[in-house]
Amino acid sequence: MIVLGITNAFDSGASLTVDGKTVAAANEERFSRRKQDDSFPWHSIEYVLAAGGVRASEVDAVTYGWGREFDKHKILPALSERVIRAVRQEPDSADVVVTRIRVELERDQVRRDEMAKIARENGWAGKLHVYDHHYSHAGSAYFGSPFDRALVFTGDARGDFRSATVHLGEGDRLIELDWRSSFDSMGFYYSIITFLLGMRPVRHEGKVTGLAAYGDPQKCIHVMRQMIGFTENTIYANVGRMYKPFFTDPPPALREALSHYSKEDVAAACQQHLEDVMLAYIRRFLDEQKAAGKPVENICLAGGLYGNVKLNQRILALPGVRNVFVYPNMGDGGLCVGSTLNWLAENGHKIRRPIDTMYLGPAFSDEEIQQALDAHKVPYRPMKDKVTETVDLLARGKVVGWFQGRMEFGPRALGSRSILVHPKDPTVNDWLNKRLHRTEFMPFAPATIASLAPRCYIGWREDHLASRYMTICYDCTPAFRENSPATVHVDGTARPQVVFREDNPDYHDVIEGFYKKTGNLSVINTSFNEHEEPIVCFPDDAVRSYLGNNVDCLVIGNWYVGKE
Ligand SMILES: [Fe+2]
């Protein structure tokens, strides 16, 4: 069974799943070099088909993860009630709610029409299966997880009129328990604050999370509570004077209310309130299952909201929760896979669970890499022992552009397209960010081999699949704080990548060799990209980044590029 998954909206992309295993996946931004590209993912489709060795005509099904036909019987009555509530509370909110609904109807229709037209033109029309946005997020989270029973939470700004859903995953079924409208959106809430802090919504939310550790949440959390909150046992926003479900153009009263506080305190309050609301909401469903005599101990998460590594850490710490899995391409870039997994489950086809890799993108041979090096006329030489030489470079404090194997699918670099650096010097967060033209408030992330992880991260367990993909924070042990200070945040946490040898042998061996040589329990792993550009994909991208002085040297395939 060969299934092509597609999304053609924000961070569009494609995936190919063969006999229940995703064999290739990529987002369009990596090919077009336009971050979060929303154009139709022709490059991604071409790539996944070629990587899987199949022709488009051989595909059994095409699944689409955004924009199911508007469900009039379910969504419309609930939305109408929601609109009436909003206008009753604040008559002035009528404009806001009407605009919200119109924007969603009109914008999404354009995407749906485009997808339908392309499906007709390519002979996919009879094979096309369209799934709801949040149901697709839920599919990626649950069917990507190792659990047979789990509560599945999705959260983002909005998709198909919803901002959050709750499902119970049982066996091969996802049973919907609840959903919240795109008015009551914790995603919009967080993005508006991101915007008010002078950062770019839907891109820089992670900076707000990092900045939060420097502030006092109590100073202005009362303002956050006026925007949205956990009331009447669910999430409700106060649409109007203090909150609007849009990324930009915040209400003047909100701007004014926050103008009296430092950026750090605003970020801290924003993060604290997000955690308070989401934990209360999640606890409700844990309690309900427990009260029904069927307690659930596993949680699955997807949607951009769960790119928030601090929130995920708090969810794992909830009483009764044993494990948390976050689909590693948690944002809309992962919807293509989610829709495919839903279709497979609904049609009784086997899904190989859990996911075992996110190295689903293109790889390049040494010959292909050599062509790029020649084209740029950079000096290079073959490496006899890539691992040992890289360990030596890191030990000497070099900033290494590590370009190996298949590119990662999702927002995190996981040791295929990574910049690797020594973790000892805390000032690295200043000078390397400056060099990479980045402003970050969270320190660089550590990569640690699995056998050393218990010495570093409090509560870490081998079955924490989320830690393999850098989707969750941990409190660090005193030993680790002292050992790898550059990777520990002011609040004592880190968001590690725990590396198992079977996932990426060379990368694992570099980190292990570095430990043996220097005693350091981690290596800094940060994404290999130009300022505000997508992560590098092609050898050419990596060489350009090297020439732009982002890294001291490249270890690219079996080639070394550097001055010495
Ligand atoms: Fe989404």
Side-chain angles (χ1 to χ4, degrees):
M1 191 58 60
I2 301 170
V3 189
L4 175 66
I6 295 175
T7 44
N8 72 335
F10 179 81
D11 203 9
S12 65
S15 59
L16 192 78
T17 304
V18 178
D19 297 334
K21 182 177 163 63
T22 301
V23 297
N27 292 110
E28 199 66 3
E29 61 160 32
R30 303 292 166 88
F31 305 102
S32 68
R33 310 308 303 158
R34 279 186 24 215
K35 201 162 165 70
Q36 299 164 329
D37 193 351
D38 64 352
S39 55
F40 196 82
W42 284 119
H43 297 99
S44 310
I45 294 171
E46 188 186 344
Y47 156 69
V48 297
L49 292 173
V54 299
R55 288 190 297 273
S57 58
E58 293 173 303
V59 168
D60 296 300
V62 178
T63 65
Y64 178 58
W66 186 336
R68 185 166 56 183
E69 199 62 29
F70 188 40
D71 187 343
K72 299 176 205 66
H73 301 293
K74 182 165 132 191
I75 303 276
L76 203 52
L79 273 186
S80 309
E81 275 175 38
R82 184 66 191 86
V83 168
I84 291 165
R85 180 190 166 105
V87 177
R88 255 200 205 133
Q89 268 182 333
E90 259 190 71
D92 289 348
S93 69
D95 283 354
V96 176
V97 293
V98 168
T99 308
R100 175 75 265 152
I101 292 175
R102 194 180 47 223
V103 163
E104 291 204 26
L105 276 173
E106 290 175 358
R107 280 199 197 151
D108 293 358
Q109 193 60 44
V110 173
R111 305 289 183 178
R112 272 199 289 269
D113 291 347
E114 181 186 38
M115 183 66 224
K117 179 169 173 278
I118 288 169
R120 276 196 307 276
E121 288 169 357
N122 287 271
W124 298 334
K127 300 176 184 175
L128 180 66
H129 307 275
V130 179
Y131 286 95
D132 168 81
H133 185 110
H134 278 267
Y135 182 50
S136 300
H137 277 314
S140 70
Y142 179 63
F143 295 115
S145 84
F147 313 130
D148 287 329
R149 191 156 185 279
L151 276 168
V152 185
F153 295 88
T154 67
D156 59 13
R158 67 100 188 173
D160 292 335
F161 292 97
R162 313 200 282 182
S163 62
T165 59
V166 186
H167 291 80
L168 179 65
E170 269 187 322
D172 56 6
R173 286 194 315 157
L174 273 172
I175 304 148
E176 190 175 294
L177 303 179
D178 194 36
W179 61 276
R180 303 307 301 145
S181 76
S182 44
F183 300 111
D184 304 301
S185 169
M186 292 306 288
F188 276 129
Y189 153 78
Y190 209 92
S191 292
I192 296 164
I193 302 295
T194 303
F195 179 81
L196 277 170
L197 289 171
M199 295 180 253
R200 190 168 166 167
V202 209
R203 190 173 297 184
H204 296 154
E205 277 73 4
K207 296 185 196 224
V208 178
T209 313
L211 188 61
Y214 294 94
D216 176 356
Q218 295 312 318
K219 292 241 176 86
C220 57
I221 199 163
H222 63 281
V223 180
M224 307 296 160
R225 289 181 183 139
Q226 291 171 57
M227 297 173 69
I228 191 166
F230 186 74
T231 47
E232 297 168 45
N233 213 26
T234 192
I235 301 167
Y236 267 121
N238 299 314
V239 181
R241 205 178 69 83
M242 292 291 279
Y243 161 94
K244 289 199 292 188
F246 290 93
F247 292 119
T248 53
D249 192 25
L254 175 65
R255 194 186 283 273
E256 155 61 22
L258 291 176
S259 64
H260 310 287
Y261 304 97
S262 71
K263 286 189 171 191
E264 290 80 2
D265 288 343
V266 170
C270 175
Q271 177 69 19
Q272 182 66 53
H273 188 54
L274 170 83
E275 292 174 12
D276 292 347
V277 171
M278 294 316 298
L279 292 176
Y281 188 60
I282 290 171
R283 216 161 20 218
R284 171 190 146 188
F285 295 94
L286 287 167
D287 290 348
E288 283 178 6
Q289 292 298 314
K290 199 172 166 190
K294 292 179 166 179
V296 182
E297 57 182 13
N298 298 313
I299 305 261
C300 299
L301 304 169
L305 199 66
Y306 297 105
N308 193 307
V309 287
K310 300 289 295 184
L311 172 63
N312 299 345
Q313 178 184 12
R314 297 286 306 277
I315 294 170
L316 178 60
L318 275 172
V321 172
R322 183 174 157 74
N323 207 344
V324 167
F325 172 75
V326 188
Y327 185 67
N329 198 352
M330 71 290 282
D332 292 350
L335 290 170
C336 45
V337 170
S339 63
T340 291
L341 298 182
N342 283 338
W343 183 82
L344 289 169
E346 284 185 0
N347 290 280
H349 299 296
K350 193 172 160 45
I351 297 171
R352 293 220 231 138
R353 303 177 63 197
I355 57 159
D356 60 357
T357 186
M358 289 303 274
Y359 302 121
L360 296 167
F364 300 90
S365 68
D366 280 344
E367 291 70 34
E368 288 170 309
I369 293 168
Q370 197 172 10
Q371 284 170 15
L373 300 176
D374 287 337
H376 283 281
K377 299 192 170 61
V378 291
Y380 61 90
R381 62 169 173 82
M383 297 176 90
K384 279 194 205 80
D385 181 348
K386 179 167 62 190
V387 169
T388 308
E389 285 190 56
T390 304
V391 168
D392 193 49
L393 289 162
L394 291 171
R396 287 192 286 130
K398 298 291 177 196
V399 178
V400 179
W402 174 259
F403 183 109
Q404 301 290 326
R406 296 186 71 179
M407 182 182 70
E408 302 86 347
F409 178 52
R412 308 265 197 268
L414 298 168
S416 280
R417 303 288 185 274
S418 289
I419 294 174
L420 307 180
V421 196
H422 202 302
K424 202 72 185 177
D425 170 17
T427 68
V428 68
N429 287 294
D430 296 324
W431 62 259
L432 186 55
N433 274 320
K434 229 171 252 165
R435 185 166 167 182
L436 298 170
H437 308 102
R438 295 180 192 168
T439 44
E440 292 294 340
F441 304 103
M442 214 179 268
F444 290 114
T448 299
I449 55 171
S451 59
L452 295 175
R455 286 172 55 186
C456 307
Y457 311 116
I458 295 167
W460 180 84
R461 286 201 321 261
E462 194 168 329
D463 67 346
H464 285 175
L465 197 53
S467 70
R468 294 196 190 200
Y469 303 106
M470 293 171 93
T471 50
I472 197 159
C473 277
Y474 290 88
D475 292 332
C476 298
T477 62
F480 185 75
R481 290 184 201 198
E482 196 171 316
N483 181 282
S484 294
T487 65
V488 182
H489 205 12
V490 288
D491 60 3
T493 64
R495 44 164 180 165
Q497 180 192 6
V498 177
V499 183
F500 289 72
R501 193 167 196 282
E502 73 237 35
D503 291 339
N504 191 335
D506 284 346
Y507 181 50
H508 174 278
D509 292 353
V510 165
I511 304 166
E512 184 179 47
F514 182 70
Y515 167 67
K516 285 181 177 158
K517 192 179 174 87
T518 66
N520 278 281
L521 294 161
S522 74
V523 169
I524 285 174
N525 164 26
T526 188
S527 56
F528 193 174
N529 60 284
E530 287 280 326
H531 174 59
E532 293 293 317
E533 262 196 30
I535 293 176
V536 299
C537 174
F538 297 96
D540 182 69
D541 305 325
V543 178
R544 279 190 295 109
S545 189
Y546 165 74
L547 291 171
N549 194 36
N550 289 319
V551 293
D552 295 327
C553 57
L554 291 176
V555 177
I556 181 165
N558 283 303
W559 303 110
Y560 173 79
V561 181
K563 294 201 171 65
E564 308 150 61

